[in-house]
Amino acid sequence: MDRLRSILSGENRRDYLKVEAYKYLGTGSLLMLLIALAGVYLSPLLYMGSTALKSEAQLADPDDPILPQTPKLYHYTSDETQTFRYTWRHAENFEYEGQELPVYEVISQGKIYKYALIEDRGESGLFIDTEDPDAGPIEVDTAPSSLKASMAREQLEVTLYTVEVDGANKIMGLVDELNDGSTLWMDPENVSADPIRLPITKDEAKLVRDEQDLTLYNVPIDGETRELALLETTRNGATFVDPDTNELIKVDERVRGLDPVYEFEIHPENFKTAVDTINYPRLFMNTSIVALVGALGAMVSATLVAYGFTRFNIPYANLLFMILLATIMLPQQVTQIPTYILFRKLGWVGTLAPLIVPHFFGNAYNVFLLRQYMMGIPLELDEAARVDGANPLQILWHVIIPAARPALVAVYLFHFLFAWNEFQQALIYIGGNEKNQVLAVGLQRFSQIYSSQQNLMMAAGVLTMLIPLIVFFLAQRIFMQGVVITGVEK
């Protein structure tokens, strides 16, 4: 207790606090450095996952945020109604003594007159001259039914409404309101057609207003930043809409210098597109067969060979082991052609056999790993098993394998990841057989088809590497132990 008081008093206290401060500062700095290195190492993976959840519109955004975000929109409805310029051609009428009389074109002495029909007398008619109604009625010895009606043209600015026509909502222009309460409408998509009459009033129709989705921006106004929707840009500024009040606000600032308001939006449908396009279930099954069965064959064969090197007195064992390790130096390209010829003669090209069977005959990397581990297992365990009457196979099964389980799992997982990501051999032997293709080859074909759609390419890539990532994170300890034992990485 006296020693603790002496440490925390006077100069000793300052020295103690200084040491502690340096210790925590150093630990914190190291932790921050490790986090930064982990971020740099994982950044490609994070970028791939983020891009896989974006849409084409998000990727086309010039700013293109790292996360799958899209500019926030405001649905703006203008107070002004939409109108349409329309030339209305209709039969001309003339008002005479409180009556609406139809007007006809009457040819007399080589001239065309516009006469309004007062009385139809069959073979003749009583008319009034529309240009000189005070002259009184005029009798024309021509049947009114044979005369051509005079057509009037009116330039109208019709207001657009949403009305129900034949059971469907349609945008129509209001031409006229009739005395009986019905209305006359024109179709903006077919202006040459005659207006149609509907048994509705103007109040029963819905006005069509200007509606559009506007992008929200962070706009600095009077020392504060507000979220405003961009309506239009001008040469020296822009006009915004306040989403809360629908008020128009003019700002003397260029839009290019403003930041859009983004909202989080993911598109998991990219993964469905990738799954449906590359037939993911079939490719996944083929890849799983190659990786699982091939890894089992590599582990079993390497176990038997390593057991022979460590537990049997084989003549020239060290020389044979060195020759085995020397095969690591042999380039794969040297044996590629004769191996292909052999598999073709066996009829295995186009099947999964060339990707599985060769791994049942040992691998120098795996044999080296297991031999080094088995050499650390005490021989006394073998002697004790022999005393109990065990033969070499029983010793392998009951003594060596349980003791070497960490190394066996490491070999299995190493080969599983190697086989899962194998591309060159799969492309050579089964590239032309779509039924037996694996994920690596399917991803390459998918990338060729969708080379311009980066989001779909990344989605397919994430699906391909999903299983190796899960295996790696669940078996990190075994991976690290395998690397420490062998000193090499497959």
Side-chain angles (χ1 to χ4, degrees), residues 18-277:
K18 186 184 296 184
V19 171
E20 290 296 314
Y22 283 147
K23 182 172 69 174
Y24 285 110
L25 183 62
T27 304
S29 300
L30 180 59
L31 180 61
M32 293 297 294
L33 178 60
L34 292 177
I35 293 175
L37 291 176
V40 172
Y41 180 75
L42 295 175
S43 57
L45 180 62
L46 297 177
Y47 175 79
M48 177 182 291
S50 175
T51 306
L53 292 171
K54 291 183 179 181
S55 65
E56 291 186 45
Q58 289 173 330
L59 290 173
D61 188 348
D63 296 330
D64 190 16
I66 296 177
L67 296 176
Q69 302 178 66
T70 189
K72 192 175 181 180
L73 301 177
Y74 168 65
H75 188 74
Y76 171 66
T77 302
S78 174
D79 294 333
E80 299 180 359
T81 58
Q82 291 189 17
T83 59
F84 185 85
R85 293 193 64 84
Y86 173 61
T87 302
W88 182 27
R89 296 179 72 255
H90 59 90
E92 188 176 356
N93 293 325
F94 181 74
E95 186 176 352
Y96 180 72
E97 294 182 354
Q99 295 182 350
E100 290 285 338
L101 305 178
V103 180
Y104 293 88
E105 294 181 353
V106 179
I107 301 176
S108 177
Q109 297 178 357
K111 294 182 63 176
I112 299 177
Y113 295 91
K114 291 185 177 182
Y115 288 169
L117 178 63
I118 299 175
E119 182 182 353
D120 186 354
R121 297 177 178 178
E123 296 298 328
S124 63
L126 192 63
F127 294 86
I128 189 74
D129 188 352
T130 58
E131 296 181 0
D132 188 12
D134 296 334
I138 303 171
E139 186 171 357
V140 178
D141 296 332
T142 305
S145 58
S146 64
L147 296 177
K148 181 180 179 182
S150 177
M151 303 300 293
R153 294 189 179 190
E154 293 187 48
Q155 297 291 333
L156 303 178
E157 190 80 18
V158 298
T159 304
L160 296 180
Y161 291 81
T162 301
V163 295
E164 185 175 341
V165 181
D166 297 331
N169 289 331
K170 193 171 183 179
I171 296 178
M172 304 288 286
L174 178 62
V175 176
D176 195 11
E177 297 181 74
L178 305 179
N179 295 331
D180 60 358
S182 61
T183 45
L184 205 60
W185 302 86
M186 54 80 59
D187 187 355
E189 298 180 357
N190 189 11
V191 294
S192 61
D194 294 332
I196 61 174
R197 184 173 178 176
L198 296 177
I200 60 173
T201 63
K202 181 179 70 173
D203 296 335
E204 293 176 306
K206 181 181 178 182
L207 279 168
V208 176
R209 301 184 184 275
D210 288 326
E211 298 184 21
Q212 52 186 321
D213 291 325
L214 306 179
T215 304
L216 289 170
Y217 285 85
N218 292 313
V219 183
I221 298 178
D222 299 331
E224 64 174 351
T225 301
R226 300 172 60 182
E227 292 186 4
L228 303 178
L230 176 63
L231 180 61
E232 62 178 354
T233 58
T234 59
R235 189 169 185 179
N236 298 320
T239 301
F240 292 88
V241 179
D242 189 343
D244 298 327
T245 62
N246 226 32
E247 175 189 359
L248 298 181
I249 301 174
K250 292 186 176 181
V251 177
D252 296 331
E253 187 170 347
R254 292 183 178 273
V255 178
R256 290 183 179 179
L258 301 177
D259 296 326
V261 179
Y262 286 97
E263 59 182 354
F264 193 71
E265 180 183 306
I266 61 174
H267 294 269
E269 65 272 10
N270 294 337
F271 293 97
K272 184 178 184 305
T273 302
V275 168
D276 295 340
T277 304

Side-chain angles (χ1 to χ4, degrees), residues 268-339:
E269 65 272 10
N270 294 337
F271 293 97
K272 184 178 184 305
T273 302
V275 168
D276 295 340
T277 304
I278 64 177
N279 193 9
Y280 185 81
R282 183 70 184 182
L283 298 181
F284 181 85
M285 183 181 68
N286 292 338
T287 308
S288 299
I289 293 174
V290 171
L292 293 173
V293 179
L296 179 63
M299 182 185 67
V300 171
S301 60
T303 302
L304 294 176
V305 176
Y307 179 61
F309 275 120
T310 55
R311 290 302 191 265
F312 294 94
N313 294 321
I314 302 173
Y316 307 105
N318 291 332
L319 177 61
L320 293 175
F321 184 67
M322 293 300 296
I323 294 175
L324 175 64
L325 291 182
T327 60
I328 299 175
M329 307 298 294
L330 189 64
Q332 188 179 21
Q333 292 77 6
V334 174
T335 60
Q336 188 67 70
I337 295 177
T339 304

